[in-house]
Amino acid sequence: MTLKLGIGMLGYGFMAKAHTNAYKKIKYIFHPFPAEIELIAICGRDKNKAQEAAQRYQYQKWVIHWQDLVEDESIQVLDNTATNDVHCEPCIAALEAGKHVIVEKPMALTLAEARKMYEVAKEAEKKGIKHMVAFNYRFVPALRLARKLINEGKLGRIYQFRSNFLSDRLSNPQAPWAWRLSKEKAGSGVLGDLNSHAIDMVRFLLQTEVQAVLAWNPTLISHRLTPEGKSCPVEVDDVSLIWLKLANGAVACLEASKVATGYKTTWRIEIHGSEGALAFDLIRGNELQFFSRRDPVEIQGFRLIHVTEPEVHDYISYWWPRGHGLGWEHYHINMLEHFLRCIATGDNVAPWGATFLDGLRCQEVIEAALTSSRQGGWIELVY
Amino acid sequence: MTLKLGIGMLGYGFMAKAHTNAYKKIKYIFHPFPAEIELIAICGRDKNKAQEAAQRYQYQKWVIHWQDLVEDESIQVLDNTATNDVHCEPCIAALEAGKHVIVEKPMALTLAEARKMYEVAKEAEKKGIKHMVAFNYRFVPALRLARKLINEGKLGRIYQFRSNFLSDRLSNPQAPWAWRLSKEKAGSGVLGDLNSHAIDMVRFLLQTEVQAVLAWNPTLISHRLTPEGKSCPVEVDDVSLIWLKLANGAVACLEASKVATGYKTTWRIEIHGSEGALAFDLIRGNELQFFSRRDPVEIQGFRLIHVTEPEVHDYISYWWPRGHGLGWEHYHINMLEHFLRCIATGDNVAPWGATFLDGLRCQEVIEAALTSSRQGGWIELVY
Amino acid sequence: MTLKLGIGMLGYGFMAKAHTNAYKKIKYIFHPFPAEIELIAICGRDKNKAQEAAQRYQYQKWVIHWQDLVEDESIQVLDNTATNDVHCEPCIAALEAGKHVIVEKPMALTLAEARKMYEVAKEAEKKGIKHMVAFNYRFVPALRLARKLINEGKLGRIYQFRSNFLSDRLSNPQAPWAWRLSKEKAGSGVLGDLNSHAIDMVRFLLQTEVQAVLAWNPTLISHRLTPEGKSCPVEVDDVSLIWLKLANGAVACLEASKVATGYKTTWRIEIHGSEGALAFDLIRGNELQFFSRRDPVEIQGFRLIHVTEPEVHDYISYWWPRGHGLGWEHYHINMLEHFLRCIATGDNVAPWGATFLDGLRCQEVIEAALTSSRQGGWIELVY
Amino acid sequence: MTLKLGIGMLGYGFMAKAHTNAYKKIKYIFHPFPAEIELIAICGRDKNKAQEAAQRYQYQKWVIHWQDLVEDESIQVLDNTATNDVHCEPCIAALEAGKHVIVEKPMALTLAEARKMYEVAKEAEKKGIKHMVAFNYRFVPALRLARKLINEGKLGRIYQFRSNFLSDRLSNPQAPWAWRLSKEKAGSGVLGDLNSHAIDMVRFLLQTEVQAVLAWNPTLISHRLTPEGKSCPVEVDDVSLIWLKLANGAVACLEASKVATGYKTTWRIEIHGSEGALAFDLIRGNELQFFSRRDPVEIQGFRLIHVTEPEVHDYISYWWPRGHGLGWEHYHINMLEHFLRCIATGDNVAPWGATFLDGLRCQEVIEAALTSSRQGGWIELVY
């Protein structure tokens, strides 16, 4: 008999849309898939919006208290796409109720929360419960190829990791105040929202740990107006600058910004090693650049690889013909397919997916970055 | 009561997959959508494959004769993604049976077929039947913006249209023989398969007609081996070169190639006018470049527009957040949404979608190109 | 005793400036150089301008009749940068007077002229006289590397050669009439001015000959105003389109345009073969892109080679440190250094430089293109 | 009577070559130029090399003690391209001897030296003596345009300045030890050699001062072999990371690296403001990208400006025809033309050229960066 996986969705924003879209596509894209996926319930604070989302996406029901998801017997998977302040409690409750849990990044509002969540997840794991943090960029075929080339030693000793995650979302001083600018709701600004991706990517690609953190998280625009015209203080950073000392001896520079006028969603990653280099930009997410010092000098140069070869590049064979490529939508689908498949087969979520341990490691760096930015010096991490 | 649109799918290849994916997504992406979409039947010559496709994509049934689709009362829409030699007869039968029809490009194997199909479609239209040729690139937001800028006179008088549709599919002399290389099955080679897109795009973007055609359709690799190891002649072109005199006085150069080593699916379009210019490349399909001579000389340059602004760019508001972009999959969905919506609302398929008249116009140029290439001189088109 | 090479410069426009600059730099850049270079005389029709040029560039004298250059005993090299209608006679006279001759491209106004010039050059060659046509792009390090890779078989069998030489010089309908638009002065328009470079580059890079020519040389803007406000007919093409059948079986598409709004001086060259591909753009002239099908599929992609490695790339060791690159100015210097060095050492100008034979071959294609454009069919070339 | 400017060149490396080339070209490129330029003497420690350089570049004499340049009455301009440890003393002596002085960057080995040099220069200035630090990138037309657009308010309030100066010079662990890796000779590593350019560019483009510095200057490869095979410690940084708080409220991130495998000489500069953004990369030095939020949203995007318009872009009218562009060589020529012209006309070197005051300001940041990297916290600058 086919396994049934009932989904309980917490949140109805664009991320819930992206994840729901995934649950609808997994079955016929990743065919044959070892489970049936059922959209059981969607939950949100606004009754009308929850109802509309349930109708639009064909969830069997809608609820307004997350506890109703946790208590629902037909739900096996809690998908938490709520705001950062509603990550900790529902995730813990769901795990304790024996549900598999995926949560949006950053995993938690604070390091203390993340630690608690991880402890509960570790216990649940003993009973076969899976947990994942939605670091979706681990499922970009081009970044998978990057990891593979690094693993094979194509870059030699790693010298530098550079990340620039650039958005202009807040460039306009008239852009309105929103929950993401509140310390209480968001924990941090671009640090948690964008640089968390970079922190996870350092660990995913280089497979090393962070030893020390130096950070500067300035707030360039100190006040914004709410849609109602009230001036509110911006309590979190709009630029996040981090330097990392890595256990493998490499140097990482991570920048994230939402005042990077001109860029909607540009995420450049560059890695330099003794034998080669890699470059990636999310805005052209099907492409990976690879430079090898082992090529004859005469023809050395960055190769622009279009990572869309079904035979050799991860995930492509499931999707569209060679050359057509994937996008933002598909990284989420690949990610959720991995999570559900691990649930179905019992395989480990790591190393391809980020577990709550990975989420915790990321949160430790975020916390260190907050401290460093306040104090102005290096923070050592101890594991 | 909501209108029900039953889909009959002819073909089970990658194009059927792309179209089926569209039918599954329209409802929750283009919400609220004015019809219910039902996957009734999928048809293909190989019984096992048809059955597997029906299971995978959840069609209610599978058939092996296209006539069964035409006769099925629960089907209102025939979607013909079969090989070019199975376009004409099923489309005509379906139109005559009162079904709406969408057919893959090129519309037909020959001009004579296309004329017949158009005549039948014209009659059917009087009874409210809709017809469309699947020129999906009309539904790329960046190309929609291109058309808008041209319409607004931002390019002034148009001088040149340049198209290079480049693929390396046949670069390897060891790439096997396939149906696309047979004159009988395919009609022509890259001319019909790729340059048909360019011919349609000239008409769509410039809104002018072709007056004369000069063409060269060489076959560079004359024989290939079948998977069974038999040497077969390549009966169609692997490079298609066309010059067009356009009614608006402009000059068009259309190149398509499947021996363009290095390029998987690159389609560059450039348009030069007295006041400005546009450049597009399908491989970076969310981007449009626009140059204006009306800018101050000091800062003149091609703007790289990331065509992902929900407020101002076509289709974006339905999809993912600003900056994330669409891809090959989504152009098909946008296209089929337009077709089904026109069926539901009675709106015209043209000018946004290509009708059978547009398909015919394209086929006239294809036929002229075949003649010109044989004879070596200009062919005038008379309408 | 060091050889002295006295230069007689015919013309004082920007090309004379570029060539004079070369003569001044050769000695200390290509150190040690086997000859002394002396700027003897500069010649032009306007007395004041000739005088000013002589002062500016420190020529020993200025003259207004080219015959004075030919008769001057202290001149060993005639450098002809005059308009196309003043190429034939002075070159022949100089060759017959025992002077080495370099002439700007296109070599002549007509094929008949080119033939005469070549015959005289062939005779002069027997007496050790050197002749060259100023196809300066043969001296771009990146294109030298392209030729080397092709010669080494890195591209396998050549399928296609594509050239787009794009300028917006005439995009503005108000751009004034000038001598280049007169049939009598220029012979042809962008065909001779820009596409001549492409024709020579096909032969230089692929080392094959042209077998047949199909061309279309439209004039999009038929009249222009002189600076004095008089309307003059444009007698030559502003777009030049050429298809070539090559002796090696390859297909060449050459486009040149001066109504390519948005591009100042863009020259894209792409070459596709069974094993690899090359791409070049003059606007980024230090870069060559190289794609190899022999790379593992996983990492196949165009390498962006920065052709500035002193140890392995032509000409770089003479110039600036690694990574800094050369530009338009330097290609002329490299070219003239080659010419003067051949004079000094007796080495052959070919194959690196274009001789009058190469110039003639180019002129044959130009003439065939003019005929084909008039008649509308293929023109076979017979050698 | 025309002013004569006798040049005394200290050093005979590639920078001396670039500067000498400039002195040879200024007269006919910047015609008419208000002075005669004479190459009097070249000085270097190695007698044979000095002699060879004098012959190659046609200096009237060669010397091996810099004092001989200072004492030479026929020399009016000392051009100091020697290693960093030979900047201070010769410059001061020359200034005190009434000679105009240009010195390579970084101006000095230490802040103390720079202060002394500046004090002497300030005195000399009273007698009409000119002084300049060779920050040649101030003379790149594209960066001049950047400054102009910023000055005109096209970027609004400046948020961020990002600089990545990337070289692979030291990527290979086998690259030999050289004087630049010695603390005593070089003062610092990429900090002084490359990041000094970035520090100067922040000040030049934004016209603001640095308020505080946080830096990390790691040495990734701790030992290297001399050409003789002896292992030597690398005493300076091979990566230089700096964050700056600027007086205008903006945030600057400056990275320089010589272990950036894959990049020969890439220098990316990006500036984000409330109204627009700029992007530049030295490797494509004729191009500037400009984004304006004041454009209609529909067509917003980075314009790729080819900064080669003689009528509107600095320096172009002196050089080659529109579209052809300049390179590394020309920035030095433009710079030295400015310096000599200021000497001839009495005009101020600032703001276009960097004076010793600008050099000192840069050195203050370098010193603060060294201190910060050692201590790990912010260093405030007081003026």
Side-chain angles (χ1 to χ4, degrees), chain A residues 28 320, chain B residues 16-27 37 329 332-334 336-337 340:
Chain A
Y28 63 91
W320 311 113
Chain B
K17 177 180 174 186
H19 285 205
T20 302
N21 177 60
Y23 295 128
K24 288 177 171 291
K25 294 181 73 165
I26 286 169
K27 189 135 187 80
I37 302 165
E329 160 178 348
H332 292 279
I333 305 172
N334 294 348
L336 289 167
E337 189 272 344
L340 297 195

Side-chain angles (χ1 to χ4, degrees), chain B residues 165-169 171 194 257-261 263-265:
Chain B
F165 208 137
L166 304 176
S167 158
D168 61 359
R169 196 65 59 89
S171 284
L194 301 184
S257 170
K258 286 196 181 173
V259 294
T261 311
Y263 295 117
K264 286 171 197 167
T265 315

Side-chain angles (χ1 to χ4, degrees), chain C residues 14 17 21 24-25 28-29 56 168 264 284 287 306 309 318-322 328-330, chain D residues 14 17 21 24-25 28-29 56 168 264 284 287 306 309 318-322 329-330:
Chain C
F14 77 84
K17 177 181 174 184
N21 177 60
K24 287 175 172 292
K25 293 182 72 164
Y28 64 90
I29 295 293
R56 175 170 185 175
D168 61 0
K264 286 172 197 167
R284 291 169 171 177
E287 303 173 7
H306 206 244
E309 292 287 350
Y318 291 104
W319 288 100
W320 310 113
R322 180 171 171 276
W328 186 80
E329 161 178 347
H330 306 98
Chain D
F14 77 86
K17 178 181 174 185
N21 177 61
K24 287 176 171 291
K25 293 182 72 164
Y28 64 90
I29 294 293
R56 175 170 185 174
D168 61 0
K264 286 172 198 167
R284 291 169 172 176
E287 304 172 6
H306 205 245
E309 294 286 351
Y318 291 104
W319 288 100
W320 311 113
R322 181 171 170 275
E329 161 178 347
H330 306 98

Side-chain angles (χ1 to χ4, degrees), chain D residues 57-75:
Chain D
Y57 301 116
Q58 293 175 289
Y59 280 85
Q60 294 170 15
K61 50 192 158 185
W62 52 274
V63 298
I64 54 171
H65 301 298
W66 58 259
Q67 291 81 354
D68 292 337
L69 297 180
V70 172
E71 287 163 16
D72 194 320
E73 296 279 309
S74 56
I75 290 175

Side-chain angles (χ1 to χ4, degrees), chain D residues 90 105 243 262 301:
Chain D
K105 36 55 57 184
W243 295 328

Side-chain angles (χ1 to χ4, degrees), chain C residues 3 5 33-35 130 338-348:
Chain C
L3 176 71
L5 293 175
F33 189 75
K130 302 293 178 191
H338 176 71
F339 188 53
L340 296 195
R341 184 179 295 269
C342 287
I343 293 172
T345 61
D347 285 352
N348 286 337

